[in-house]
Amino acid sequence: MEDVDVVVAGAGHNSLITACYLAKAGYRCLVLEANAIPGGGAVTEELLGPGYAVDSCATGHTLMCTNPLLADDELGLMAAGSLTYVDPDPVAHVAFPDGGHFTMTLDRNETAAEFGRFSAADARAYERLLDDYAEVAPVFARAQHTPAGMGPPLDQLLAEHPRGRVWQRRRMLSAWDVVRTEFESREARAFLMWMAFQTNQALDIPGTGLLASSIVAGRQRRSWSVLQGGSGRLVDALVGYLEAHGGEVRCGQPVRRLLVEGGRCAGVETESGEQYRARRAVVSTIHVVHLMDMAPPGTWPEELEYAVRTYDVGIPGFGIYLLTDVAPAFQTPAGPVSAVSAGTVGWPEDLLQLGFDLRHGRYVEDVPWLLVATPTLVDPDRAPPGHHTVKVLSQQVYDLPGGPEGWPAAKEAQARRQLEHLRRSAPGFTDDHVLAMLVKAPPDFEASNRHMVHGAFHGGDRGVAQSGPGRPAPGWAGHRMPLAGLYQTGATTNPGGSITGVPGRNAARVVLTDLGIDPDAVLRPVHAGDGTVPHGVTGLTTAGAVGETARAAGGAA
Ligand SMILES: Cc1cc2nc3c(=O)[nH]c(=O)nc-3n(C[C@H](O)[C@H](O)[C@H](O)COP(=O)(O)OP(=O)(O)OC[C@H]3O[C@@H](n4cnc5c(N)ncnc54)[C@H](O)[C@@H]3O)c2cc1C
């Protein structure tokens, strides 16, 4: 397939989404992926043996479900029947350092009562947090689903909202500022900080204030949505759509250089020296830190180079993958509790210290924050009967005192310490229940996905400097790059990482606009009998920029 309209570098879920919308509009797309399989952070692999489907990276798709791509079924993937989401209940279970715990359920009143175990004022504060956020969620969702420069900026939308000025301040605060202002008990604060830390973002950084509300509000609405069969089913559905619409994904094709001809990005060259030209556009999900070296000197303007030189790639992650014959069961006075999304947390001051240490590169031996994901509790077919796949995630540094080279020798012991930490609250989850184990330190995550620079999962820090119009760089947040014909998507673009599909869909809107296609004619629900939208056809019935579900849900994680 050499006769190509659009070349896409990288096959993460975001860039696949961009490619699918372009294919829906009738363009022939060739996606070049460095790895042996497509999907990036959305892959599901038999990491630990045949018959065990393990999400190597993401498991929870809460925000993906609110993207109009799925919520309004704009590609017909839901109607095709291969995507079934389960919303686990309990939503989350978290153990505190003193043996106490917090269980969140899908019943809002029940969750408020759980806050009430620690403070009646905190139970009211929780209800208020959800109600307050529900008021402005449509504003945040509208801003998120609108590429920079194609609609009013978030600040303006908030200024026009009756209560928006509170949120103009709140989003500039840190998550910790918000939590400590609204909640008084250390348990409520610790639980909310456990939630907010899920994007590996230090919680005292200005600009993280929204994380204190958006994640928990999203979970209260629809839990930590898990795709039956694993995240890879989403990748399969996107690749299937692309292929059915004349596109192709070619794996084992790392892109090393952009082809620049006549001041335009004309295509890409892979590490094996093959060149692929695109008639219309090149879409990249290459990390911006790498992209800078892929064009001739002088290509990038000073402000982009400066933004990338100062780009904070984010806090790296550490993962333990287990096959077990029991699910982790957390001790409580009322008996053991298991949850698809569970974990441990320190007290607020522990988490603030953790974020500080990691941001400053200090290795932490015993990370108090653990996320323990056991999707087989609601999706047992991922493993043989009676068995579970368990993923224990924490944060870490990329450089050990002697450099990243020390990780192969150190990671097993680190994993043992984190499992011991978990066993303080889940004592029955002992080694004799572990059938197989794999440990990934930050350099391992980087090696398995070059988009996860330094093993950071979310494409870069999300503080003030790298959010909204500043992501990846001021002036270049609208997916168009300074090189004509080149578009950037993925986690280094707004609103950042996680499985949201938002950067991918927004990039499609921008590319389509530049190609002279009305994006609303393409980014709309597929109805029976809908075919491909031919090039140049405009004025078809539109569904607006944001589907109803997304309008109602919003979110930032
Ligand atoms: C262990 C772990 C757990 C996580 N859990 C969750 C979770 O539960 N929920 C959630 O929402 N998020 C989670 N995340 C984060 C999430 O996986 C990422 O933020 C998300 O995958 C980013 O998607 P993307 O499409 O932007 O890029 P990616 O998924 O990173 O895909 C980028 C792709 O581009 C390819 N690529 C990069 N450079 C090149 C090149 N030069 N040439 C060719 N190909 C290239 C890569 O190989 C990769 O396939 C987790 C991440 C990890 C690692």
Side-chain angles (χ1 to χ4, degrees), residues 44 51-55 58-61 82-89 224-234 327 339-341 373-390:
T44 300
Y52 295 89
V54 176
D55 289 327
T59 293
H61 286 207
S82 62
L83 302 180
T84 306
Y85 278 98
V86 187
D87 293 338
D89 201 8
W224 202 47
S225 305
V226 169
L227 185 53
Q228 254 180 24
S231 289
R233 292 276 171 91
L234 176 64
V340 172
S341 165
T374 312
T376 34
L377 283 167
V378 292
D379 189 8
D381 291 348
R382 291 183 186 212
H387 288 184
H388 290 277
T389 64
V390 183

Side-chain angles (χ1 to χ4, degrees), residues 9-15 32-35 37-42 56-61 224 253-256 285-287 290 294 321 371 391 393 445 448-452 457-459 489-492 496-500:
H13 80 290
N14 276 307
S15 47
L32 301 170
E33 165 57 42
N35 287 344
I37 55 168
S56 315
C57 299
T59 293
H61 286 207
W224 202 47
Q253 300 291 328
V255 170
R256 73 168 172 206
T285 191
I286 296 166
H287 198 290
H290 297 155
M294 294 193 180
Y321 301 81
L371 170 62
K391 188 170 55 183
L393 298 178
F445 284 114
S448 51
N449 182 347
R450 55 187 78 196
H451 191 228
M452 294 185 180
F457 298 176
H458 294 277
T489 186
T492 63
S498 300
I499 304 297
T500 69

